[in-house]
Amino acid sequence: MEPILPSPDVWHYRNKMEFSFGHEEERIALGLHPRKRLWEIVNVKTCEILSEEAGLLLEAARQWAAERNLIAYHSRRNSGELRHLILREGKNTGQRMVNLLSTSALGSADGFLEALLATGARLDTVLWSRTDGVADVARGEPVSLLCGDGWIQERIGGLEFKVTPYGFMQTNTHAAEGMIKKLGEWVGVSATGPTNGTLVDVYCGSGLLGLSLARHFGSVAGIEVNPVSIEAARDAAALNGIRNADFVCGSAEEALPKILGARDPLGSLTMIVDPPRAGLHKRVIAALVAARPEALIYVSCNPASLASDLRALSPYYSVERLQPMDFYPHTPHIESMTLLSPLPN
């Protein structure tokens, strides 16, 4: 058990926040839900975990909505116009994305961009997305581009990444850089050149971990079910001139056995799994048991599912190291990495 790796920043560390529209004393509100009271909204004036300029943008969006007498979406009534305001920032590049999410009842976003520009805050791209789904999910299609390229750029661990509106990226940029450094130490490789080994990055998101380690391996294979993230991973590989990485769009349980079956059986195998909060699918666990890589690294944001999955893997792997990481200061959540090695048959 390693000492907890602290977050380099405890304030303004997040690169993404999803704020919700609602009503407070009959007025339009924009902020966050109180814990366990999802029908209420607390107006957020400042955001100490995103950036100092976030409050200016929230107030501008709030005033824009009030001046037009717009109504927040109400899921029980399935009516209303405004749903979310999503802010994404490049902590190393300074770039910023604003994404207004509404229902199709909002016929126009006229004046929204001008309201944001009046704050003087940096804006690299502004979008307007729509969805009429009942679920409270901050994602929508179609997406209209109000200014910029529709994406922002971020630099992590010496690599450049395009951050798209709905692509996955670790939310604490500077803590993620520490995680990448620790990963490099764990795989036990040198920076003198690629080996013949294979790295399989399961639940790879936008390819951050696999691409950051690609120079140490003969080949990298990433698996991700989200096509937007797969496109971002492929873009990042091209942007950084990484030619030994391939990304497969599909569920981990379907794609992993095929990738493992097609690889060179004579080369070494290292695997990284970074599953969603629910943990590993049982078919992924079966594939890990069959593959027996020289090193298996489990990245987790949920200690409960991590414990359950480690219990399932314990007849076949031993836990060598566990590294907790404070990715989410001022919250009860924690990220962790676990290094496992196969037990003798």
Side-chain angles (χ1 to χ4, degrees), residues 13-27:
Y13 63 88
R14 284 188 66 96
N15 56 41
K16 178 186 177 184
M17 284 291 290
E18 299 172 353
F19 299 98
S20 299
F21 284 96
H23 292 281
E24 187 180 67
E25 297 179 353
E26 305 303 321
R27 294 184 178 182

Side-chain angles (χ1 to χ4, degrees), residues 34-241:
R35 179 178 291 187
K36 298 182 180 180
R37 288 150 60 192
L38 298 182
W39 308 113
E40 299 180 28
I41 292 291
V42 174
N43 257 324
V44 171
K45 302 295 185 181
T46 60
C47 186
E48 301 293 344
I49 61 173
L50 183 62
S51 66
E52 294 180 359
E53 292 184 321
L56 298 175
L57 297 169
L58 290 170
E59 182 59 25
R62 194 181 293 119
Q63 290 296 326
W64 170 80
E67 290 169 2
R68 284 157 179 78
N69 296 315
L70 298 177
I71 300 172
Y73 176 73
H74 194 294
S75 59
R76 286 179 177 174
R77 301 174 191 148
N78 194 22
S79 63
E81 297 155 319
L82 300 179
R83 303 188 69 140
H84 297 279
L85 188 75
I86 308 158
L87 305 183
R88 303 194 75 155
E89 300 177 343
K91 293 301 181 182
N92 289 328
T93 63
Q95 295 186 15
R96 180 179 287 118
M97 173 192 299
V98 179
N99 186 3
L100 175 68
L101 181 61
S102 75
T103 67
S104 60
L106 182 66
S108 170
D110 288 349
F112 178 68
L113 175 60
E114 290 74 13
L116 298 183
L117 290 171
T119 66
R122 177 169 179 172
L123 298 171
D124 292 274
T125 194
V126 179
L127 308 114
W128 170 33
S129 305
R130 276 85 82 197
T131 180
D132 290 318
V134 177
D136 187 26
V137 178
R139 180 183 296 268
E141 293 283 350
V143 178
S144 299
L145 185 60
L146 303 183
C147 80
D149 296 320
W151 50 270
I152 58 174
Q153 197 163 20
E154 179 60 303
R155 189 179 308 108
I156 306 178
L159 299 180
E160 303 287 335
F161 291 88
K162 287 170 62 175
V163 181
T164 56
Y166 301 116
F168 173 77
M169 185 65 71
Q170 290 286 353
T171 56
N172 188 330
T173 302
H174 296 149
E177 292 175 323
M179 178 172 67
I180 291 167
K181 181 179 179 181
K182 179 66 67 172
L183 271 175
E185 296 172 1
W186 278 13
V187 297
V189 293
S190 67
T192 57
T195 70
N196 292 324
T198 297
L199 172 65
V200 179
D201 185 5
V202 191
Y203 311 96
C204 69
S206 298
L208 172 63
L209 301 184
L211 291 174
S212 297
L213 298 172
R215 69 184 183 276
H216 302 303
F217 293 90
S219 63
V220 174
I223 303 170
E224 172 60 46
V225 72
N226 184 348
V228 175
S229 293
I230 282 291
E231 183 179 357
R234 291 170 177 163
D235 285 346
L239 185 64
N240 292 281

